[in-house]
């Protein structure tokens, strides 16, 4: 995976497949601690202890073997650990799942945020009946919030997956994410705003 | 932080309402972009977004675009399945934004399977 936004899409689609109706995605940056954290929280069916114990093993999957490789979570865990961060999942059957991965902000291998707007548009467009929240936080303060349930209300009957709505979501979130990533850790120079606009 | 501006939303709402609402008559086609881990790593997200842009450009309302897990052919990702009403589904392989735009024009809008990119064409395709 080239950037964080692709990992986020991959992890959020696990939540979709777990039958969630609400997925909350948070990026937290703590400049003092030199950490960036991503969190994906869902209200899906959750995992029992056996599954939870094995979820980060490469090639562990509960989905049809012919179709799933069981690599999404191991990829993210490995990447977090390589970047001086940490990885955790908490989950209980019926009580949803929360996954967190953190990365050392100034680590040379840290991936750019990437096209977060495209990730959110893919999620909302692919699953308009679900609700998605995105929250960007900086040093404990809220920087930007997106809530598809709120947007649906504002749309007054226009479907949230109407293509011009999705294009607007993508542009709005990319603009916000670019600004969020600008005044940030001293990134490795290849970061810039690369991947934000395509 | 600002949300989608009120003007943006107003414009979109007006545009939506000024064109006839086809959705009530049901959907003409469903396109599934396969987004397992392997599909995402291979570029499935940009395929999906290219599709959504094409639909926005053409003001299409009677086609559903969704995403699901891997189609089970990881070396052929990104993949998408096109289901036209009353026709067998067609799987397309090794996609990129350019190819999906062609598939949208020729297959979804024009009714003709793009054999070049198809993995398994439905047997009863009589286009
Ligand atoms: N949010 C979640 N809720 C419930 N179960 C989950 C969740 N995320 C992951 N799992 C469980 O963990 C397993 C491993 O997830 P992982 O993303 O690594 O692989 P996969 O989704 O099965 O396949 P791939 O990601 O390679 O397409 C899943 O098969 C599923 O059983
Ligand atoms: Mg997965």
């Amino acid at each position: 995976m080239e950037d964080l936004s692709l990992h986020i899409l991959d992890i959020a689609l696990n939540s979709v497949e777990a039958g969630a109706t609400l997925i909350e995605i948070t990026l937290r940056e703590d400049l003092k601690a030199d950490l960036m954290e991503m969190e994906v929280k869902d209200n899906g069916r959750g995992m029992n202890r056996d599954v939870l114990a094995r979820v980060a093993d490469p090639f562990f999957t509960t989905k049809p073997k012919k179709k799933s490789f069981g690599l999404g979570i191991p990829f993210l865990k490995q990447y977090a650990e390589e970047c001086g961060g940490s990885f955790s999942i908490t989950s209980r059957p019926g009580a949803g799942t929360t996954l967190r991965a953190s990365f050392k902000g100034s680590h040379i291998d840290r991936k750019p945020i990437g096209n977060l707007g495209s990730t959110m548009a893919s999620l909302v467009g692919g699953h308009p009946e679900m609700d998605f929240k995105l929250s960007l936080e900086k040093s404990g303060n809220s920087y930007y919030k997106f809530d598809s349930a709120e947007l649906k209300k504002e749309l007054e009957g226009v479907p949230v997956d109407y293509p011009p709505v999705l294009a607007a979501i993508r542009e709005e979130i990319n603009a916000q994410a670019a600004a969020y990533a600008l005044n940030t850790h001293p990134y490795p120079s290849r970061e810039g705003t690369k991947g934000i606009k395509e | 932080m600002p949300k989608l501006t009120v003007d943006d939303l107003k414009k979109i709402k007006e545009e939506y309402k000024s064109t006839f609402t086809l959705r009530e008559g049901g959907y003409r086609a469903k396109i599934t972009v396969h987004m397992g881990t392997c599909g995402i790593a291979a570029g499935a997200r940009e395929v999906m977004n290219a599709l959504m842009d094409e639909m926005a450009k053409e003001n299409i309302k009677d086609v559903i675009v969704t995403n699901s897990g891997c189609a089970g052919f990881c070396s052929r990702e990104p993949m998408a399945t096109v289901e036209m009403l009353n026709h067998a589904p067609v799987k397309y392989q090794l996609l990129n934004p350019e190819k999906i735009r062609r598939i949208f024009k020729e297959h979804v809008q024009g009714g003709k399977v793009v054999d070049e990119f198809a993995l398994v064409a439905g047997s009863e395709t009589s286009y």
Side-chain angles (χ1 to χ4, degrees), chain A residues 10 14 63 72, chain B residues 37:
Chain A
D10 185 35
N14 279 345
K63 300 169 193 172
Chain B
T37 300

Side-chain angles (χ1 to χ4, degrees), chain A residues 31-50:
Chain A
L31 289 166
K32 257 195 229 134
D34 190 24
L35 274 181
M36 168 72 102
E37 180 179 78
M38 69 168 257
E39 179 182 293
V40 177
K41 182 173 180 233
D42 70 54
N43 64 353
R45 73 176 75 91
M47 289 176 251
N48 64 32
R49 217 176 291 174
D50 291 349

Side-chain angles (χ1 to χ4, degrees), chain A residues 10-19 40 42 44-47 51 54-57 59-63 67-75 89 91 96-99, chain B residues 35-38 69-70:
Chain A
D10 185 35
I11 296 301
L13 286 171
N14 279 345
S15 301
V16 170
E17 289 182 333
V40 177
D42 70 54
R45 73 176 75 91
M47 289 176 251
V51 172
R54 300 177 61 198
V55 70
D57 296 348
F59 304 111
F60 173 76
T61 181
T62 60
K63 300 169 193 172
K67 294 206 163 188
S68 285
F69 274 78
L71 286 176
I73 290 176
F75 273 167
I89 304 182
S91 186
T97 298
T98 301
L99 177 150
Chain B
M35 285 198 181
T37 300
C38 43
C70 185

Side-chain angles (χ1 to χ4, degrees), chain B residues 22-127:
Chain B
L22 287 169
R23 284 205 170 199
E24 283 145 26
Y27 294 92
R28 190 162 56 82
K30 179 175 160 190
I31 308 171
T32 305
V33 180
H34 298 282
M35 285 198 181
T37 300
C38 43
I40 292 172
R45 187 186 65 185
E46 287 358 294
V47 169
M48 171 127 187
N49 273 267
L51 202 51
M52 296 184 316
D53 280 346
E54 204 56 29
M55 287 173 50
K57 216 170 74 193
E58 305 279 326
N59 197 20
I60 305 288
K61 294 178 183 173
D62 57 352
V63 173
I64 310 181
V65 176
T66 185
N67 43 45
S68 80
C70 185
F73 305 90
C74 289
S75 61
R76 314 260 170 123
E77 299 278 359
M79 291 186 58
T81 302
V82 174
E83 290 169 78
M84 302 291 289
L85 202 64
N86 304 324
H87 288 279
V90 179
K91 276 196 168 60
Y92 289 104
Q93 59 171 336
L94 298 169
L95 296 177
N96 58 29
E98 205 178 304
K99 288 183 188 172
I100 198 75
R101 279 194 284 267
R102 238 189 86 190
I103 290 164
F104 189 76
K105 282 217 172 71
E106 293 179 22
H107 189 175
V108 179
Q109 292 188 287
K112 201 171 166 304
V113 175
V114 186
D115 290 323
E116 228 178 305
F117 308 147
L119 178 75
V120 191
S123 49
E124 69 273 37
T125 40
S126 54
Y127 302 88

Side-chain angles (χ1 to χ4, degrees), chain A residues 5 118 127 143 145 154, chain B residues 1 3 13 45 49 67:
Chain A
S5 71
S118 179
H127 307 280
Y143 182 89
K145 277 184 193 303
E154 287 169 32
Chain B
M1 286 293 133
K3 286 255 152 207
K13 279 188 251 182
R45 187 186 65 185
N49 273 267
N67 43 45

